[in-house]
Amino acid sequence: MKRCHHLCRLLHLWLSLVILSFSHSSYGDNVTYDHRALVINGVRRVLISGSIHYPRSTPEMWPDLIQKAKDGGLDVVETYVFWNLHEPVQGQYDFEGRKDIVKFVKTAAEAGLYVHLRIGPYVCAEWNYGGFPLWLHFIPGIKFRTDNEPFKTEMQRFTAKIVDMMKQENLYASQGGPIILSQIENEYGNIDSAYGAAAQRYIQWSASMALSLDTGVPWVMCQQSDAPDPIINTCNGFYCDQFSPNSNNKPKMWTENWSGWFLSFGGSAPYRPPQDLAFAVARFFQRGGTFQNYYMYQGGTNFGRTTGGPFIATSYDYDAPIDEYGLLNQPKWGHLRDLHKVIKKCEPALIATDPAYTSLGQNLEAHVYKTSSGACAAFLANINTQDATVKFNGKTYQLPGWSVSILPDCKNVVYNTAQINSQETTSEMRYLSSISEGTNQPLSRLSSSGWSYIKEPVGISKADAFTRKGLVEQINTTADASDYLWYSISFNITMGEPWLISGEQTLLHVESLGHVLRAFVNGYYIGGAMGSADSTKISLSKLIILDKGKNTIDLLSATVGLQNYGAFFDLSGAGVTGPVTLSANGVTFDLSPYVWTYQIGLKGEDMSLFDDSDDSASLWLSDSTLPTNVPLVWYKTQFQAPAGNDPVAIDFTGMGKGEAWINGKSIGRFWPNYTAPLSGCSDSCNYKGAYSSSKCLKKCGKPSQQLYHVPRSFLKEGANTMVLFEEEGGDPTKISFATRHTGSLCAHVSEMHPAPVNFEVYPELAVSKQKLGPMVHVTCPGPDQLINEVKFASFGTPQGTCGSYSHGKCSSTNALSVVQQACVGMNSCRVPVSTKAFGDPCRGVTKSLAIEATCSS
Ligand code: GAL
């Protein structure tokens, strides 16, 4: 009995050890790294990653976005963690709805993707105040992002809080979860010199603080060449092929490959050609990289007042591979998906060795990854803008200018970054003709009776207004509780003052740090001014006529997103700095040092007029004199949600500037009348040559942002409520709803292109003796959609772009019928780009096939 007892215990011990070690290896992933790559469970990995920020879309959108990311060939989803979202008041946390980061991470895991969690907690990200909560600024003695105890205490507390949360949910790879990587700080190396010697201590402290949290997975610091071991320093930029980490024991990693660029109110819309983006990615893998992240893979929307600043727009589309609305941005998404497939083909060779470089001529580079076991992958780059012919391993290759050819077997070109096989799609907004409740009229012509309104009082109207001698700085005063701060001053004018000569005008002059200023004299709007993303400073000069007796000047100062980048960005400040002067007859009087009355925020904000509740129902006026084109009006209407599931947008043309709420949820600031500069744009952008954020711009002279995303989940069946606050003056009866659709499918593929790399085709290519040639391959976006029309098809030398192709000098006569036959009635079709299918309309000339088709809705 005794012996058995002893044996049983031994057996138990042995069994539990077996179970323990079993559960560890089948559950947890062991993530480490070496010189070549991140190493997961002992295997080096080539990883393709993409940024999708959870609060810039909705939980309802996450599964679809993540699936599209996976279908696009991503292994990893990257997100920042947004401190000010989660801890709006010190010690009070919020992880609900769009802020449910645990759910987001789990959604990625369910799709089989890894996660890179960039905690920061400074994140930049075109996010309000770089992600810092405003209360942080008011902690006595605090200095951000340096060796400062109050700051470090808070940074550590929040970072630990997030790590603990993830641990509790077993979300680190070491626990069987998807998180394989975490980031601490963000691009501190770009600005650390401004913080002097303390910067070094801060970085050392950040590193050891992060490591002490014991996540079981590696940490990175981006743009931090002195990142202390074992933290990996990584690269951010449009190109990172020249980068190398600060130790030979660390892999070459790219945490932000900017897939486009962000939009500012008052700016033009940047875009980045897919050929150049693919070129940058291919160059990175060519020169030894093994981890690459698109910033952004889907940019999304800055809802509410979350945009950074100053002047970051509500749309954060970023020209990313998935657009703001969650639709594929083609051909970018498809061209990169093809690239990812080819890179994965090269993975066995890429992880095994460093590349061997040989020059093929000036700016012509070959890098070969060759293993002892026979794997071989080669990258041939032409960094000139002209095409070139090169000899490599005894074979001749044509290398288009500014391109990389990838040869996963060191012989055959399977992909070239400049030759797009993927289809292109146009996106169109379909304007809706009847969504107004009850009436069946177009919303754009909705009678003013459909709207009710409340006028926001000019100047001081709230009981919590206060007085101060002199002018105050805005952010220190409002703590960003609102965009708005009223500066109000009243004074008496008796006869004999120089600026009161009957019939003569006085010059009012106001200097402000911005971001926007609206001036009222005795209750009348006399004008406004705004800064821009480049300079927030404003000076407003207006001729006014003052009254005899009491006069009041009310200045409404508004912020448009708080600064998110730069050394000491937190101290940039905003609001009326002064002087505020009156001048007439050569005499100037400075009002700045006198006693001003201040009001933080709007009365309507205090009353929550944007809320769906009926508390304020009786206050809304619906008389026949709907005020339009006057400042400071709250508007409200009801509407039916557009039918179907297509993404929804509001076109705010006709409005000035303000904020919009749908069923109580803010869809962000609107500002359709802030237009982009007239020049600097080009219809087409040459992808050849180094890209920069100002190289390829659209929308010159047009509103920077006209369309605003309304997530489907903000809408309900039946009556929906829309509330607008218009600050400057607009006509809400002019706004309209639209749904977003894919328009045409286009493709333009030449005889010189490699065969498609689609996975259905690729195995054939790999095994086939007879080589597959180039092909046009188009697919309707929805599984139930069929191609109903081939609008254009030309084999020969067609020209133009999607939507405006034309036949060239050489064109085969049967192109349209061949393509119609292959495609009409199909969800997806492939047509070979070859004279076999079309005959040869011009011998000796390189031909291409261009098609444009549409799908049933
Ligand atoms: C980087 C920064 C990102 C984002 C990006 C521009 O410098 O790390 O957070 O701001 O620039 O979109």
Side-chain angles (χ1 to χ4, degrees), residues 436-453 620-628 635-639 722 731-734:
S436 60
E437 198 200 17
T439 72
N440 222 27
Q441 338 175 27
L443 190 71
S444 52
R445 269 174 273 128
L446 186 67
S447 68
S448 42
S449 63
W451 289 90
S452 50
Y453 68 94
W620 290 93
L621 301 171
S622 34
D623 50 53
S624 57
T625 56
L626 180 76
T628 57
Y635 296 103
K636 182 170 183 163
T637 195
Q638 304 230 300
F639 64 95
M722 167 160 49
D731 182 351
T733 67
K734 293 219 166 85

Side-chain angles (χ1 to χ4, degrees), residues 249-266:
N249 301 321
K250 296 177 187 178
K252 175 166 169 172
M253 296 174 66
W254 191 358
T255 35
E256 290 183 25
N257 176 2
W258 301 318
S259 55
W261 197 244
F262 57 84
L263 177 72
S264 300
F265 285 124

Side-chain angles (χ1 to χ4, degrees), residues 80 123-126 186-187 236 256 258 261-262 295 316 318:
Y80 279 129
V123 296
C124 194
E126 290 69 70
N186 190 78
E187 296 194 332
N236 294 348
E256 290 183 25
W258 301 318
W261 197 244
F262 57 84
Y295 187 99
Y316 199 63
Y318 223 90

Side-chain angles (χ1 to χ4, degrees), residues 526-734:
I526 56 138
M530 66 234 178
S532 69
D534 296 334
S535 167
T536 61
K537 280 202 182 155
I538 303 169
S539 56
L540 177 95
S541 291
K542 286 278 171 188
L543 286 170
I544 59 173
I545 296 182
L546 293 171
D547 292 340
K548 203 193 307 176
K550 188 181 176 197
N551 287 275
T552 302
I553 294 178
D554 294 303
L555 304 174
L556 179 62
S557 179
T559 51
V560 189
L562 301 191
Q563 184 81 36
N564 58 269
Y565 182 74
F568 308 107
F569 72 87
D570 48 306
L571 307 175
S572 347
V576 180
T577 49
V580 179
T581 57
L582 295 171
S583 318
N585 292 332
V587 181
T588 293
F589 186 79
D590 189 355
L591 294 169
S592 326
Y594 290 87
V595 172
W596 290 73
T597 307
Y598 294 96
Q599 174 180 308
I600 297 169
L602 308 171
K603 190 163 189 190
E605 288 179 306
D606 271 18
M607 295 163 65
S608 302
L609 292 183
F610 43 79
D611 250 9
D612 220 2
S613 73
D614 271 338
D615 290 358
S616 59
S618 62
L619 299 172
W620 290 93
L621 301 171
S622 34
D623 50 53
S624 57
T625 56
L626 180 76
T628 57
N629 300 312
V630 289
L632 309 184
V633 190
W634 294 84
Y635 296 103
K636 182 170 183 163
T637 195
Q638 304 230 300
F639 64 95
Q640 299 281 342
N645 292 318
D646 294 313
V648 178
I650 299 180
D651 182 334
F652 274 112
T653 303
M655 296 301 284
K657 173 183 181 286
E659 189 173 347
W661 293 263
I662 304 291
N663 298 325
K665 294 199 166 85
S666 173
I667 59 165
R669 296 186 187 91
F670 60 82
W671 202 349
N673 72 356
Y674 202 175
T675 51
L678 288 173
S679 63
C681 294
S682 52
D683 274 348
S684 65
C685 175
N686 187 356
Y687 66 83
K688 294 176 186 172
Y691 180 78
S692 71
S693 59
S694 59
K695 182 177 172 187
C696 308
L697 301 172
K698 286 182 194 164
K699 297 225 199 128
C700 282
K702 304 217 174 88
S704 302
Q705 190 181 349
Q706 183 175 341
L707 293 160
Y708 296 77
H709 181 206
V710 184
R712 275 280 172 189
S713 60
F714 286 19
L715 297 167
K716 54 187 183 195
E717 284 215 12
N720 289 273
T721 305
M722 167 160 49
V723 173
L724 311 176
F725 174 65
E726 172 58 61
E727 163 194 324
E728 185 180 4
D731 182 351
T733 67
K734 293 219 166 85

Side-chain angles (χ1 to χ4, degrees), residues 422-601:
S422 165
Q423 72 185 19
E424 176 171 357
T425 53
T426 56
S427 314
E428 53 179 44
M429 284 291 174
R430 235 171 257 167
Y431 282 78
L432 298 182
S433 56
S434 63
I435 59 163
S436 60
E437 198 200 17
T439 72
N440 222 27
Q441 338 175 27
L443 190 71
S444 52
R445 269 174 273 128
L446 186 67
S447 68
S448 42
S449 63
W451 289 90
S452 50
Y453 68 94
I454 295 177
K455 286 195 171 179
E456 174 70 29
V458 172
I460 306 303
S461 62
K462 298 204 299 158
D464 59 0
F466 57 91
T467 56
R468 288 279 179 284
K469 212 167 170 301
L471 295 163
V472 298
E473 193 283 319
Q474 182 160 350
I475 299 165
N476 278 297
T477 309
T478 63
D480 201 35
S482 163
D483 280 2
Y484 299 105
L485 178 63
W486 281 105
Y487 294 70
S488 176
I489 193 163
S490 295
F491 49 91
N492 264 310
I493 289 183
T494 49
M495 285 303 281
E497 307 276 2
W499 39 84
L500 188 74
I501 295 171
S502 176
E504 279 202 26
Q505 293 179 318
T506 304
L507 184 71
L508 169 68
H509 181 82
V510 185
E511 295 279 331
S512 169
L513 251 186
H515 308 153
V516 176
L517 180 72
R518 312 231 171 257
F520 300 80
V521 175
N522 297 329
Y524 291 98
Y525 183 48
I526 56 138
M530 66 234 178
S532 69
D534 296 334
S535 167
T536 61
K537 280 202 182 155
I538 303 169
S539 56
L540 177 95
S541 291
K542 286 278 171 188
L543 286 170
I544 59 173
I545 296 182
L546 293 171
D547 292 340
K548 203 193 307 176
K550 188 181 176 197
N551 287 275
T552 302
I553 294 178
D554 294 303
L555 304 174
L556 179 62
S557 179
T559 51
V560 189
L562 301 191
Q563 184 81 36
N564 58 269
Y565 182 74
F568 308 107
F569 72 87
D570 48 306
L571 307 175
S572 347
V576 180
T577 49
V580 179
T581 57
L582 295 171
S583 318
N585 292 332
V587 181
T588 293
F589 186 79
D590 189 355
L591 294 169
S592 326
Y594 290 87
V595 172
W596 290 73
T597 307
Y598 294 96
Q599 174 180 308
I600 297 169

